[in-house]
Amino acid sequence: MSISFDGRVAVVTGAGSGLGRSHAKYFAANGAKVVVNDLGGSVAGTGGSSKAADEVVKEITDAGGKAVANYDSVATEEGGANIIKTAVDNFGKVDILINNAGNVRDKSFAKMDLKDFISLMDVHLMGAVYCTKAAWPMMLENRYGRIVMTSSAAGLYGTHGHTNYSSAKISLIGFMNALKQEGTSKNVLVNSVAPMALTRMTEEVMSPKLAPKMKPEYVTALIGWLCSEESTLAGEIIEAGMGYYSKVQIVEAPGYIFKGDEVPTPEQIRDHWGDISDMTGAQPYPGADDVIRAVFGKLKAS
Ligand code: NAI
């Protein structure tokens, strides 16, 4: 059965170019009514214009799809609320939210102005928070929602010159992990993608020769699956790009227990470092409560 979004309403932030444009066009081509949000600014997130969002709306409507533009910045509470209101005013609801808008301001931490750190937290993390906050009650009430956070390998693993970006991108994983606990039983499913694609954001560090292999559409295909009615996935982190799709997971080692009531010394921790850091049998946990329960179980058994 092919995946259809007939009757669904999708909001894609930062959909005026790159990955967001590809996601918006995909949803519209497969039956969804789409809000194409974009501030229309520079890669750094400065300036603004209606052009980027308008052009994508035109591409969609020319192809027979349904879309409206929104030019708000995701980085304010009012902006996030208005983006979701655009969906409700025009199409009556919101079923799908792709938190995709993003900017970059690369510099080593020593040289970084904190304004550039805060800007990235505002756009990537708070932008996702504001939009999700506005859409969340309706999704819970409708017992239907699909939300995707756009994270990054830079956040999962770190990159030089990206302290602001890495911090914002890993924060989205924490946001997703906690939302998962609140939304999954009500069929509001939140997942994250860590994309790899050639866009205006990455064109300075990637060769144009890679363009065909690094098409945003490779990432969009995953978004389509995660947002389908059929998918029950929640709390997943998936690296995607160039035909490569791979689940990423935080796992915890079995660990080592110091028996008795004595607090171990730093020297004892040093001497048992091999046991503490042995990842043989490492496992993921569905939630923080499960880790605590597991530790109590191990203490009892030891
Ligand atoms: P892009 O620069 O083509 O697209 C980002 C869009 O977000 C732009 O159209 C921009 O105008 C919009 N935007 C920026 N600030 C905004 C704001 N405050 N409110 C509304 N819209 C805003 O770049 P790309 O690559 O398509 O990026 C999309 C997302 O994917 C970003 O979150 C980025 O960090 C993430 N990402 C991209 C990777 C890649 O390989 N291209 C790698 C990892 C993550």
Side-chain angles (χ1 to χ4, degrees), residues 17 19 38-39 73-74 100 102 124 150-151 165 169 195 197 199-200:
S17 67
L19 288 157
D38 207 290
L39 180 69
S73 170
V74 296
N100 166 82
H124 294 265
T150 309
S151 185
Y165 189 75
K169 289 307 202 188
T199 64
R200 66 174 200 168

Side-chain angles (χ1 to χ4, degrees), residues 10 12 15-17 20-22 24-25 28-29 33-38 50-71 86 90-91:
V12 184
S17 67
R21 170 176 170 267
S22 170
K25 287 177 69 177
K33 294 172 191 134
V34 181
V35 174
V36 175
N37 157 263
D38 207 290
S50 56
K51 196 166 168 259
D54 283 345
E55 279 178 5
V56 175
V57 168
K58 185 168 185 317
E59 283 183 77
I60 290 173
T61 49
D62 284 354
K66 288 204 172 63
V68 290
N70 170 283
Y71 319 113
T86 303
N90 286 278
F91 305 131

Side-chain angles (χ1 to χ4, degrees), residues 159-272:
T159 39
H160 188 279
H162 264 146
T163 50
N164 52 356
Y165 189 75
S166 297
S167 304
K169 289 307 202 188
I170 196 69
S171 306
L172 288 166
I173 302 297
F175 183 39
M176 170 194 75
N177 283 337
L179 281 177
K180 179 186 76 172
Q181 307 286 339
E182 300 183 24
T184 304
S185 65
K186 300 187 175 71
N187 194 24
V188 180
L189 309 180
V190 191
N191 291 286
S192 295
V193 57
M196 289 176 273
L198 187 62
T199 64
R200 66 174 200 168
M201 191 181 274
T202 51
E203 66 191 359
E204 275 185 22
V205 288
M206 308 263 187
S207 158
K209 284 193 207 135
L210 292 168
K213 196 62 201 154
M214 293 199 77
K215 287 191 288 215
E217 284 76 6
Y218 280 111
V219 181
T220 301
L222 171 71
I223 299 278
W225 162 235
L226 292 176
C227 293
S228 67
E229 198 169 326
E230 189 187 335
S231 169
T232 53
L233 297 169
E236 301 285 342
I237 308 165
I238 311 289
E239 284 270 10
M242 301 177 280
Y244 171 75
Y245 302 90
S246 181
K247 177 174 168 127
V248 178
Q249 205 164 36
I250 295 172
V251 296
E252 190 156 322
Y256 177 79
I257 292 172
F258 290 92
K259 293 188 184 130
D261 293 331
E262 292 295 310
V263 174
T265 63
E267 292 79 4
Q268 285 175 302
I269 291 182
R270 174 196 63 201
D271 296 343
H272 283 281

